[in-house]
Amino acid sequence: SQQGEEDPQALSIQEGENATMNCSYKTSINNLQWYRQNSGRGLVHLILIRSNEREKHSGRLRVTLDTSKKSSSLLITASRAADTASYFCATDERSNYKLTFGKGTLLTVNP
Amino acid sequence: GAGVSQSPSNKVTEKGKDVELRCDPISGHTALYWYRQSLGQGLEFLIYFQGNSAPDKSGLPSDRFSAERTGGSVSTLTIQRTQQEDSAVYLCASSFGTGYEKLFFGSGTQLSVL
């Protein structure tokens, strides 16, 4: 079964609005990562947050991690049409570093 | 090359044929992953190589699937007696593999089984 599950499955917003995506996972982790995928091909790494971190920023991205609730959120501020893509969270397992991915959130930013 | 290279980018085969998919990771990366992604779905883990350790094959869906990694570098994913349900994009990724590392993905191989 998937270690991480994203919510919502799809999100449609207007340019300039903020987009929030959530990820829940099941077992203890070393770190959690967020990736972006355009056109159903290769994924691109966005940001990594370690299990002892609670919040991290990178440009217009803000990631939070709540290990007590086994959940993370990705916030994209001031969204642009170019942010339209699928977003995936990936988690490893405490006992090893194998990464497993959720089903993703499809974000559509309308101009 | 600078990135993860996968070949072929597209493969069309007939049901029952064998196929080989190739992944050339970034030089120096010890960890290599294969994932499968069906249309509109998430990434399904297939197999994980880490250095000289025995690979984690726990994601391979059947014994028709196998993978090897020669010399700690290039990897080949082989699917024998292909079935229509094997149609998907097969993605390869690599990393330094020391933990807390991001993955670098190739562009994938789109496999279509007719």
Side-chain angles (χ1 to χ4, degrees):
Chain A
S1 63
Q2 296 286 353
Q3 163 74 319
E5 294 288 344
E6 294 88 347
D7 167 62
Q9 291 186 341
L11 179 62
S12 182
I13 60 174
Q14 295 299 122
E15 210 165 23
E17 294 179 338
N18 296 340
T20 300
M21 289 159 271
N22 302 297
C23 171
S24 59
Y25 57 93
K26 299 186 175 84
T27 64
S28 295
I29 60 173
N30 295 303
N31 66 69
L32 184 146
Q33 303 182 37
W34 285 90
Y35 287 79
R36 166 192 167 127
Q37 183 181 41
N38 290 87
S39 305
R41 298 304 281 254
L43 281 73
V44 176
H45 178 266
L46 294 176
I47 196 165
L48 179 155
I49 187 165
R50 301 187 183 196
S51 60
N52 62 354
E53 297 176 313
R54 292 296 166 259
E55 188 171 313
K56 204 162 183 180
H57 297 254
S58 176
R60 293 184 296 112
L61 305 180
R62 173 179 169 252
V63 170
T64 63
L65 179 64
D66 187 334
T67 54
S68 67
K69 295 181 179 178
K70 291 187 170 57
S71 67
S72 173
S73 68
L74 171 67
L75 168 68
I76 304 174
T77 60
S79 63
R80 306 165 182 167
D83 294 330
T84 295
S86 290
Y87 293 82
F88 295 87
C89 71
T91 53
D92 62 2
E93 297 169 9
R94 183 57 66 89
S95 59
N96 65 61
Y97 295 108
K98 181 179 74 177
L99 279 184
T100 55
F101 288 76
K103 295 187 190 302
T105 292
L106 176 59
L107 173 65
T108 302
V109 181
N110 301 299
Chain B
V4 177
S5 177
Q6 290 188 248
S7 60
S9 57
N10 289 282
K11 176 71 177 178
V12 180
T13 190
E14 294 179 349
K15 178 182 172 181
K17 300 279 190 184
D18 297 352
V19 294
E20 283 190 354
L21 311 180
R22 177 188 167 104
C23 173
D24 202 339
I26 293 173
S27 178
H29 281 191
T30 62
L32 187 147
Y33 297 75
W34 283 98
Y35 295 91
R36 177 170 74 172
Q37 186 177 31
S38 300
L39 188 62
Q41 299 298 309
L43 274 69
E44 177 188 2
F45 167 78
L46 297 178
I47 189 167
Y48 166 50
F49 295 91
Q50 173 55 274
N52 296 321
S53 302
D56 180 344
K57 305 179 182 180
S58 61
L60 295 179
S62 77
D63 58 9
R64 296 187 296 104
F65 288 72
S66 64
E68 63 177 22
R69 188 177 184 193
T70 53
S73 181
V74 171
S75 177
T76 303
L77 177 68
T78 301
I79 308 173
Q80 296 178 309
R81 305 181 301 281
T82 52
Q83 304 294 313
Q84 288 183 331
E85 60 263 29
D86 299 334
S87 296
V89 175
Y90 289 81
L91 292 163
C92 175
S94 70
S95 78
F96 283 110
T98 56
Y100 309 108
E101 296 286 351
K102 64 182 182 182
L103 298 189
F104 293 82
F105 278 83
S107 297
T109 294
Q110 172 71 65
L111 175 65
S112 300
V113 182
L114 303 178

